[in-house]
């Protein structure tokens, strides 16, 4: 076999092999195409057979999903992955270096641009790496040109002898601590700032809160300028170059200050929110008891509390009419047990039971009253024909229980209460022809007290005398010879007010 024949045979074998390979590739491509077409058909059938869902409203899906959750991302975690993994970043110098000079060396070793922003307005200084001179040595970085806004910053004049090593994030943290700046990675650049702007949320709803209370001879009004106090507090914490703006309608405070000042502001706002956000719940019970004998109310009430092993600072000597006794219990009071105990000593009625929730320093009114109408005046007009027209003008009186209480939670977790009470009642009407003259009684109180959480403030001694006259006989009851008889029964009605504050803990708070 000649050499030419052998070459021809090898060429035929190669052609057959190539044709076989092409056939395999063609079969694989056709199989992949069929598989993709089957998937498309299956998806179309699944879409056509899916249940119709109403647009809008609530859509229910039983499948498992991952709910989003906000997480704080540190600046070091936003650095490029290649730079973040390096731990060979090192800056060592015997000569003192400024922030711009250190930034220039980091720019040379990492290739990341650096920017220094100084002053409250953040005047920008671009930092570039030092360029080599003709003899091969490096020129020092150009000094930072600072505007008047940042001229007073100590960052411009401070120099350190760096001995820094580790990852880039660790080195930047050490630089920030040394120069009292903060750094961040923004838009592919590392930015140093000696002033930063941060926003803080304060739990205040209004700039000024006014509270007024009027009850008979008592009139009290107060204005609380919370935002003014917050402004004064921040001015005492911040330096002269810091800037603060208040959003009194949103409760957001924007502060531009140095990082060390922000730490103090953050602690101040956190403590302020904890104080202002403290909720206080009040349980108010107003009881009345009619004593038919000469028993002293303070002794009767003390006996009722002693049955619960509770003592209170209620005065024991008899009090004059209209005087009141006051005390703070040594523990929590079971009002129902007090009612049962007092019922054995007189006729007891629950006049009012109310509750309220407020926040620290916020006044809350509690009003349980009844409006009673009466005939205040009548006017009769007679025309020329002798016809008369009578016009009746009604009047109203409001009686009941009114309480205005303002809590202030002290650092000892005690509650300072500033409370005002008005307690009025209707004693009937006196008829004067067709007119009615109301006969009311009113008692007022305006005081302060310090109460521990869960203890009760007991106010007693709101006392009035009720007289019931029994008349009998033929004709005039004054004619004793005809069996006339008059008898008077005098009862003493006393009112007891029990106020119990309780500090509430919000869900999720520490």
């Amino acid at each position: 076999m000649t050499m030419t024949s052998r070459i021809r045979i090898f060429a035929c074998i190669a052609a057959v092999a190539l044709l076989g390979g092409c056939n395999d590739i063609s079969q694989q491509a056709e199989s992949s195409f069929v598989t993709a077409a089957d998937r498309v058909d299956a998806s179309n059938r699944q879409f056509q057979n899916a249940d119709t869902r109403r647009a809008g409203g609530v859509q229910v899906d039983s499948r498992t999903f991952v709910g989003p959750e906000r997480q704080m991302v540190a600046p070091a975690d936003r650095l490029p992955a290649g730079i973040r993994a390096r731990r060979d970043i090192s800056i060592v110098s015997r000569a003192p270096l400024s922030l711009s000079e250190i930034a220039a060396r980091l720019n040379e070793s990492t290739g990341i641009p650096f920017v220094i922003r100084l002053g409250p307005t953040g005047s920008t200084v671009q930092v570039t790496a030092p360029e080599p001179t003709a003899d091969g040595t490096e020129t020092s970085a150009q000094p930072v040109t600072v505007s008047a806004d940042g001229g007073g910053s100590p960052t411009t004049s401070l120099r350190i002898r760096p001995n820094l090593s580790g990852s880039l994030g660790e080195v930047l943290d050490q630089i920030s601590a040394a120069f009292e700046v903060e750094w961040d990675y923004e838009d592919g650049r590392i930015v140093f700032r000696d002033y930063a702007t941060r926003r803080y949320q304060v739990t205040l709803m209004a700039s000024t809160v006014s509270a007024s209370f009027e009850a008979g001879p008592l009139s009290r009004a107060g204005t609380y300028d919370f935002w003014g106090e917050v402004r004064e507090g921040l001015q005492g914490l911040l330096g002269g170059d810091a800037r603060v703006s208040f959003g009194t309608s949103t409760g957001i405070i924007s502060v531009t200050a140095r990082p060390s000042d922000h730490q103090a502001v953050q602690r101040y706002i956190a403590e302020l929110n904890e104080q202002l956000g403290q909720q206080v719940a009040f349980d108010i019970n107003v009881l009345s008891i009619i004593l038919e004998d000469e028993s002293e109310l303070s002794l009767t009430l003390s006996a009722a509390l002693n049955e619960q092993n509770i003592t209170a600072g209620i005065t024991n000597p008899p009090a004059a009419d209209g005087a009141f006794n006051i005390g703070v219990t040594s523990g929590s009071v079971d009002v129902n047990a007090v009612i049962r105990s007092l019922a054995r000593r007189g006729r007891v009625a629950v006049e009012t039971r109310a509750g309220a929730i407020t926040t620290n320093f916020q006044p809350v009114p509690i009003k349980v009253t009844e409006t009673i109408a009466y005939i205040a005046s009548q006017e009769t007009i007679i025309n020329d024909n002798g016809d008369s027209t009578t016009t009746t003008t009604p009047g109203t009186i409001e009686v009941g229980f009114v309480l205005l209480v303002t809590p202030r939670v002290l650092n000892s977790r005690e509650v300072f209460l500033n409370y005002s009470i008005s307690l009025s009642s209707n004693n009937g009407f006196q008829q004067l022809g067709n007119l009615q003259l109301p006969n009311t009684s009113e008692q007022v109180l305006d005081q302060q007290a310090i109460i521990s959480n869960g203890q009760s403030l007991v106010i007693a001694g709101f006392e009035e005398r009720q007289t019931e006259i029994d008349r009998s006989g033929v004709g005039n009851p004054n004619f004793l010879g005809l069996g006339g008889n008059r008898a008077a029964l005098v009862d003493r009605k006393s009112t007891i007010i029990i106020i119990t504050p309780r500090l509430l803990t919000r869900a999720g708070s520490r």
Side-chain angles (χ1 to χ4, degrees), residues 90-232:
S90 177
I91 298 180
V92 179
S93 174
R94 294 182 179 180
L97 300 179
S98 65
L99 178 61
S100 60
E101 293 171 335
I102 295 177
R105 294 196 178 191
L106 288 175
N107 170 251
E108 181 185 14
S109 61
T110 62
I112 299 177
F114 280 73
V115 174
I116 301 176
R117 292 178 178 171
L118 302 178
T121 60
S123 56
T124 302
V125 178
Q126 189 77 33
V127 178
T128 58
E131 298 179 357
T133 59
D135 58 359
T137 61
E138 293 181 349
T139 60
S140 60
Q142 295 296 321
V144 178
T145 303
V146 183
S147 64
D149 181 52
S153 173
T155 307
T156 60
S157 58
L158 182 62
R159 291 175 176 269
I160 64 172
R161 291 183 174 88
N163 185 13
L164 311 175
S165 61
S167 65
L168 180 58
E170 294 172 347
V171 170
L172 292 175
D173 288 340
Q174 297 176 51
I175 296 172
S176 298
F179 287 93
E180 195 181 348
V181 296
E182 68 175 20
W183 72 273
D184 201 356
Y185 184 72
E186 302 175 355
D187 300 327
R189 303 177 303 174
I190 293 177
V191 180
F192 285 113
R193 293 185 180 91
D194 63 346
Y195 278 78
T197 299
R198 298 177 185 173
R199 293 174 177 85
Y200 301 90
Q201 181 74 50
V202 180
T203 54
L204 285 178
M205 297 183 62
S207 58
T208 303
V209 176
S210 299
S212 61
F213 180 79
E214 294 183 1
L218 176 65
S219 177
R220 180 170 64 88
T223 301
Y224 309 92
D225 186 8
F226 292 109
W227 281 112
E229 296 181 3
V230 173
R231 184 178 290 105
E232 293 179 359

Side-chain angles (χ1 to χ4, degrees), residues 243-263:
R243 301 181 180 182
V244 184
S245 62
F246 296 88
T248 57
S249 59
T250 61
I252 295 178
I253 302 176
S254 298
V255 180
T256 302
R258 298 185 64 83
S260 59
D261 292 337
H262 277 292
Q263 296 176 4

Side-chain angles (χ1 to χ4, degrees), residues 18 131 144 147 151 169 182 191 228 364 387 390 500 503 508:
L18 288 173
E131 298 179 357
V144 178
S147 64
E182 68 175 20
V191 180
V364 56
D387 298 329
T390 302
T500 305
L503 302 182

Side-chain angles (χ1 to χ4, degrees), residues 481-505:
L482 297 178
N485 181 35
R486 295 178 60 185
L489 178 62
V490 179
D491 291 336
R492 295 165 45 240
K493 179 181 178 181
S494 299
T495 301
I496 304 170
I497 302 174
I498 303 176
I499 303 175
T500 305
R502 291 183 174 87
L503 302 182
L504 302 181
T505 302

Side-chain angles (χ1 to χ4, degrees), residues 253-505:
I253 302 176
S254 298
V255 180
T256 302
R258 298 185 64 83
S260 59
D261 292 337
H262 277 292
Q263 296 176 4
V265 172
Q266 185 176 3
R267 290 192 298 268
Y268 174 78
I269 297 297
E271 294 175 359
L272 182 66
N273 284 334
E274 184 177 0
Q275 294 176 352
L276 297 177
Q278 176 63 64
Q279 298 184 83
V280 184
F282 288 96
D283 291 331
I284 294 95
N285 293 270
V286 181
L287 314 176
S288 65
I289 180 172
I290 297 178
L291 300 174
E292 299 179 354
D293 53 17
E294 294 299 323
S295 300
E296 175 59 35
L297 174 63
S298 60
L299 295 175
T300 302
L301 185 56
S302 296
L305 294 175
N306 287 335
E307 292 183 1
Q308 303 182 51
N309 296 323
I310 294 176
T311 59
I314 298 178
T315 58
N316 289 332
D321 290 345
F324 57 86
N325 301 323
I326 187 170
V328 178
T329 63
S330 59
S332 179
V333 174
D334 185 351
V335 177
N336 293 328
V338 172
I339 294 174
R340 291 192 298 267
S341 179
L342 292 176
R344 296 194 297 267
R345 297 168 174 83
R347 290 176 290 172
V348 180
V350 179
E351 302 290 345
T352 298
R353 274 189 171 179
I357 296 179
T358 185
T359 55
N360 201 11
F361 301 103
Q362 297 293 329
V364 56
I366 298 174
K367 183 178 181 181
V368 183
T369 59
E370 177 186 7
T371 301
I372 303 174
Y374 65 95
I375 300 175
S377 63
Q378 281 187 340
E379 182 181 7
T380 302
I381 301 176
I382 302 175
N383 59 19
D384 296 338
N385 297 327
D387 298 329
S388 62
T389 302
T390 302
T391 303
T392 301
T393 302
T396 59
I397 59 173
E398 189 176 30
V399 295
F401 174 77
V402 179
L403 169 67
L404 178 66
V405 58
T406 303
R408 178 185 174 189
V409 181
L410 306 178
N411 292 334
S412 59
R413 306 295 289 173
E414 294 178 312
V415 182
F416 176 85
L417 294 183
N418 187 358
Y419 60 94
S420 300
I421 297 174
S422 171
L423 192 64
S424 58
S425 60
N426 177 29
N427 299 327
F429 294 92
Q430 180 181 353
Q431 289 293 138
L432 185 59
N434 293 330
L435 303 182
Q436 295 176 316
L437 301 179
N439 182 15
T440 62
S441 61
E442 184 178 36
Q443 296 170 320
V444 295
L445 180 68
D446 185 14
Q447 284 194 346
Q448 299 84 33
I450 297 178
I451 308 174
S452 297
N453 181 28
Q455 290 185 340
S456 297
L457 175 66
V458 181
I459 306 171
F462 290 99
E463 186 174 302
E464 59 182 350
R465 295 184 179 273
Q466 298 179 341
T467 303
E468 298 181 4
I469 300 177
D470 183 19
R471 297 181 176 89
S472 62
V474 179
N476 194 331
N478 292 326
F479 296 158
L480 301 179
L482 297 178
N485 181 35
R486 295 178 60 185
L489 178 62
V490 179
D491 291 336
R492 295 165 45 240
K493 179 181 178 181
S494 299
T495 301
I496 304 170
I497 302 174
I498 303 176
I499 303 175
T500 305
R502 291 183 174 87
L503 302 182
L504 302 181
T505 302

